[in-house]
């Protein structure tokens, strides 16, 4: 994860969870980190842990704000060589029991936010000769999980976006990595346990460090996908080869359906 001559990286969702850990790790490795989040107080706490990191408050559902912040980063720090896009939310529950407006709001944050940030960053990367785009999907976007319909659909859209951007901007020197972990021990997972206790029960998620280590290995090897955690890639493979059988197993194991 070492930087080359203080290269700039934009990290979204940097106030907590995976984004926060990524921002700290990158700053310690010598990157010039532009930490982006809607949570100004969380960014202040992050800055106290990683001196030299620059904070930018932004809501990824606001396209104009995203464009302005990315332009500000380029003006003040330089064009980014890497984007690590972690901003997102996780809301679980039976799909048809939820107000469709809430599910579409989730889609706008997870998929729409990804689209807005990537659209703002990639042209700057292309102008500097290339760069690396790291997006966070989820194994839940590959394997349909009961109570995770809205979240899974949003992450599946992120997966598709990753493939399209990689194909359309390969000639611009843009590499895209999509990291697809299972549940990760973050504040978001703590909230899901409270709101939807039947989904995971006492199971522990992956550590944030495990996820970031997987990301680093995939970047070093030039891979397009990373599936952190034991058995995660096997789930992805089973979904492709035996989708009906896998869906039945997942329903029984996770939520007793």
């Amino acid at each position: 994860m070492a930087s080359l001559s203080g290269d700039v990286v934009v990290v979204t969702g940097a106030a907590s969870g995976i984004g926060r850990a990524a921002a700290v790790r990158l700053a310690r490795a010598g990157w010039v980190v532009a930490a982006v989040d809607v949570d100004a107080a969380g960014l202040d706490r992050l800055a106290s842990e990683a001196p030299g990191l620059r904070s930018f408050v932004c809501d990824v559902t606001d396209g104009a704000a995203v464009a302005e912040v990315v332009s500000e980063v380029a003006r003040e720090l330089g064009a980014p060589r890497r984007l690590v896009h972690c901003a997102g939310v996780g809301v679980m529950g039976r799909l048809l029991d939820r107000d469709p407006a809430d599910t579409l709001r989730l889609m706008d944050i997870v998929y729409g936010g990804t689209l807005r940030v990537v659209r703002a960053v990639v042209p700057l990367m292309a102008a500097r000769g290339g760069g690396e785009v790291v997006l966070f999907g989820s194994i839940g976007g590959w394997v349909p999980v009961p109570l995770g319909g809205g979240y899974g659909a949003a992450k599946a859209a992120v997966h598709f976006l990753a493939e399209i951007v990689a194909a359309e901007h390969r000639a611009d020197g843009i590499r895209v990595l999509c990291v697809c972990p299972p549940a990760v021990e973050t504040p978001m997972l703590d909230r899901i346990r409270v709101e939807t206790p039947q989904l995971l029960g006492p199971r522990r998620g992956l550590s944030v460090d495990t996820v970031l280590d997987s990301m680093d290995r995939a970047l070093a090897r030039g891979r397009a996908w990373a599936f952190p955690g034991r058995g995660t890639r096997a789930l992805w493979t089973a979904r492709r080869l035996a989708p009906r059988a896998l869906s039945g197993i997942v329903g029984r194991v996770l939520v007793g359906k």
Side-chain angles (χ1 to χ4, degrees):
M1 183 165 294
S3 168
L4 299 176
S5 303
D7 281 325
V8 177
V9 57
V10 175
V11 181
T12 68
S16 68
I18 296 172
R20 186 181 192 282
V24 171
R25 180 183 285 209
L26 286 158
R28 290 174 177 171
W31 289 80
V32 177
V33 178
V36 179
D37 204 291
V38 72
D39 179 3
L43 287 176
D44 287 343
R45 291 189 293 271
L46 171 65
S48 68
E49 183 176 342
L53 175 149
R54 289 289 306 277
S55 299
F56 298 83
V57 178
C58 181
D59 180 349
V60 296
T61 66
D62 184 337
V66 169
E68 177 55 33
V69 161
V70 171
S71 294
E72 186 179 355
V73 169
R75 286 194 305 270
E76 297 187 5
L77 304 178
R81 183 167 80 88
R82 182 180 293 178
L83 166 68
V84 180
H85 179 65
C86 304
V89 294
V91 181
M92 305 300 175
R94 283 164 53 94
L95 182 62
L96 301 186
D97 289 348
R98 297 186 56 78
D99 186 329
D102 292 337
T103 301
L104 292 172
R105 168 71 175 169
L106 173 65
M107 178 68 77
D108 191 37
I109 296 170
V110 175
Y111 172 68
T114 303
L115 177 60
R116 294 180 189 98
V117 173
V118 171
R119 185 174 184 267
V121 170
V122 162
L124 297 176
M125 286 185 174
R128 72 180 297 283
E132 299 165 334
V133 173
V134 180
L135 305 181
F136 275 82
S138 170
I139 195 62
W142 291 106
V143 179
V145 176
L147 306 181
Y151 180 75
K155 288 298 189 180
V158 171
H159 301 165
F160 199 86
L161 183 150
E163 292 192 277
I164 291 296
V165 172
E168 293 181 346
H169 293 278
R170 190 171 291 113
D172 295 321
I174 305 300
R175 291 178 50 208
V176 182
L177 168 66
C178 191
V179 185
C180 300
V184 182
E185 288 297 327
T186 62
M188 186 176 81
L189 188 62
D190 291 338
R191 180 178 52 75
I192 289 171
R193 283 197 177 100
V194 171
E195 296 176 354
T196 322
Q198 68 273 39
L199 182 58
L200 290 171
R203 296 178 187 84
R204 295 286 296 171
L206 293 185
S207 72
V208 170
D209 283 339
T210 296
V211 176
L212 294 180
D213 289 346
S214 176
M215 178 188 78
D216 285 346
R217 287 193 299 271
L219 283 169
R221 296 168 184 172
R223 291 181 175 171
W225 300 96
F227 295 94
R230 191 173 181 179
T232 309
R233 180 174 287 274
L235 277 174
W236 174 71
T237 302
R239 170 61 178 166
R240 295 168 62 203
L241 300 179
R244 184 173 180 181
L246 180 64
S247 293
I249 293 169
V250 168
R252 289 193 299 274
V253 170
L254 288 184
V255 292
K257 298 295 186 183

